[in-house]
């Protein structure tokens, strides 16, 4: 039974808050970057370094307390930036003034943690492109082991140990080396105690894990990432800006790809010669008194062109591959049969028809008087608007000589 469960005990609301706190130190002056303002407030691709650094923290799945440490005269500005990055989670954010050294800034951050925080992460705002996954890896390892956790990368350069006059003494075994980054995670109480014990040596420590390890605690490395590099020089800043631009472009490509895969276009063409006997079937209508079109089926070039346009839009092949032009089951079959079957396949593949447009090329029949009738029949068959236009070829070619007709169709379909 916990203290809170005991009869009469009053719960301390501050203990109900997040168990993880993230201190983002951003109080440095950025001397090496040389922008004339503190590094965290320098603009990179339209947002400040600080805002870029906070964005991945507020993408974490589980809530954390976020403490931002900035130069004393920048607290107000940092609150505005922090609120923008935090959005609806602004109540999880605190901004405090830092000190002259990185370690004094970390101490100011530690002092601002809520009582319920058990695990604390210390992160450099200067590592502005650190992915959310790196925070998650560090938190998971810290909670699982109860140790200090630092993200690190294997060292790829060959490393030499040299003496005072730069003479090489030894090639260091680089398999045992890690270049470490932030965020670094620690059990909160043990880190506070380690800082207290090391008070007089704080300035000498190059990272928080060094102080923590000096106090006798185990520190484990987990995988870091190239993106978590520290922006120190103008070169680093332009590299970060370039990487942010690449990310933005990739994101736009993704959005574009999603749009184009849900809407698809297709094209179909069919040609039939006139025959001698029978009745013309065209565009889903019977045309008494007109010369029929020859074909294994009823020769409805308009219907067949639409079928091909629909199948091509859906990537389902064409009328020949789907129905087998020699298949005896389709001997004399009407265009309507093929259209119904193609639309069924289309629906089964998850598509609906947005619209179909057809152009009929030929001298006969005179199409205009029955255009609306044909469009009505075809639209009902494909479950979407079909428009049919007709033209002649000025007496040129086989259509101009009255030997047959051509139909060209385009179809637009959409994934449901
Ligand atoms: N930092 C801090 N307080 C300080 C010094 C540094 O909070 N007194 C923070 C920086 O803002 C940075 C991180 O510690 O996010 C790492 O420090 P560094 O990269 O050295 O940044 P600066 O000290 O700002 O840069 P420079 O050393 O070039 O002046
Ligand atoms: Mg510094």
């Amino acid at each position: 039974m916990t203290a809170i469960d005991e009869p009469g005990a009053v719960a301390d609301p501050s203990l109900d808050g997040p168990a993880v706190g993230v201190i983002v130190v951003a109080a440095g002056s950025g001397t090496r970057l040389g922008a004339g303002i503190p590094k965290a407030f320098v603009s990179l691709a339209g947002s400040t370094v600080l805002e870029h650094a906070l964005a991945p923290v507020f993408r974490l799945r589980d809530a954390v307390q976020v403490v931002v440490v900035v130069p004393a005269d920048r607290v107000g500005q940092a609150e505005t930036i922090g609120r923008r990055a935090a959005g609806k989670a602004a109540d999880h954010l605190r901004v405090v003034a830092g000190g002259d050294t990185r370690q004094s800034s970390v101490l100011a951050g530690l002092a601002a943690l809520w009582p319920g925080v058990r695990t604390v992460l210390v992160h450099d705002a200067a590592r502005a492109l650190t992915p959310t996954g790196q925070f998650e890896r560090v938190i998971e390892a810290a909670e699982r082991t109860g140790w200090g956790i630092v993200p690190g990368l294997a060292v790829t350069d060959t490393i030499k140990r040299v003496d005072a006059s730069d003479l090489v003494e030894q090639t260091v075994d680089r398999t045992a080396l890690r270049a470490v980054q932030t965020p670094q995670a620690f059990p909160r109480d043990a880190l506070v105690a380690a800082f207290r014990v090391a008070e007089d040596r704080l300035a000498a420590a190059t990272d928080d894990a060094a102080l923590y390890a000096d106090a006798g605690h185990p520190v484990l490395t987990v995988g870091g990432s190239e993106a978590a590099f520290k922006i120190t020089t103008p070169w680093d800043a332009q590299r970060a800006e370039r990487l942010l631009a690449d990310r933005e472009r990739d994101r736009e490509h993704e959005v574009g790809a999603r749009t184009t895969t849900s809407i698809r276009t297709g094209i179909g063409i069919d040609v039939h010669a006139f025959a001698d006997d029978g009745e013309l079937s065209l565009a889903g209508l019977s045309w008494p008194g007109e010369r029929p079109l020859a074909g294994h089926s009823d020769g409805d070039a308009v219907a067949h062109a639409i079928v091909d346009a629909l199948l091509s839009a859906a990537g389902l092949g064409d009328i020949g591959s789907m129905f087998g032009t020699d298949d005896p089951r389709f001997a004399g079959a009407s265009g309507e049969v093929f259209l119904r079957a193609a639309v069924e396949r289309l629906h089964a593949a998850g598509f609906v028809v947005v619209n179909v447009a057809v152009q009929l090329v030929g001298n006969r029949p005179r199409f205009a008087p029955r255009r609306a009738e044909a469009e009505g029949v075809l639209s009902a068959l494909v479950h979407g608007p079909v428009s049919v236009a007709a033209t002649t070829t000025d007496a040129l070619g086989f259509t101009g000589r009255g030997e047959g007709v051509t139909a060209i169709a385009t179809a637009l379909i959409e994934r449901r």
Side-chain angles (χ1 to χ4, degrees), residues 113-198:
L113 288 174
W114 290 331
V117 170
R118 306 264 59 91
T119 301
V120 60
L121 273 62
V122 183
H123 182 52
D124 291 339
R127 299 184 187 274
L129 271 52
T130 305
T132 301
Q134 182 151 328
F135 286 85
E136 276 164 353
R137 278 197 296 282
V138 166
I139 293 170
E140 186 279 323
E143 290 183 332
R144 179 167 42 82
T145 62
W147 297 344
I149 306 293
V150 298
L153 291 175
V155 174
T156 49
D157 292 327
T158 296
I159 307 285
K160 307 283 187 195
R161 187 188 305 281
V162 297
D163 68 11
S165 50
D166 281 346
L167 212 63
V168 172
E169 286 181 343
Q170 187 197 8
T171 300
V172 181
D173 176 12
R174 68 183 177 206
T175 59
L177 298 179
R178 296 291 179 273
V180 305
Q181 306 175 324
T182 69
Q184 302 187 347
F186 310 93
R188 176 207 187 145
D189 293 341
L191 182 67
V192 170
F195 264 76
R196 207 169 284 139
V197 170

Side-chain angles (χ1 to χ4, degrees), residues 28-32 39 102 230 232:
S29 55
T31 323
R32 286 167 289 179
K39 188 155 71 183
R102 185 181 178 285
K230 187 155 73 77
T232 305

Side-chain angles (χ1 to χ4, degrees), residues 259-266 312-315 351 411-415:
T259 317
T260 50
T261 50
S262 67
I263 291 266
R264 301 174 57 133
T265 177
S312 93
F351 293 104
L412 201 65
I413 62 170
E414 184 174 23
R415 204 177 283 284

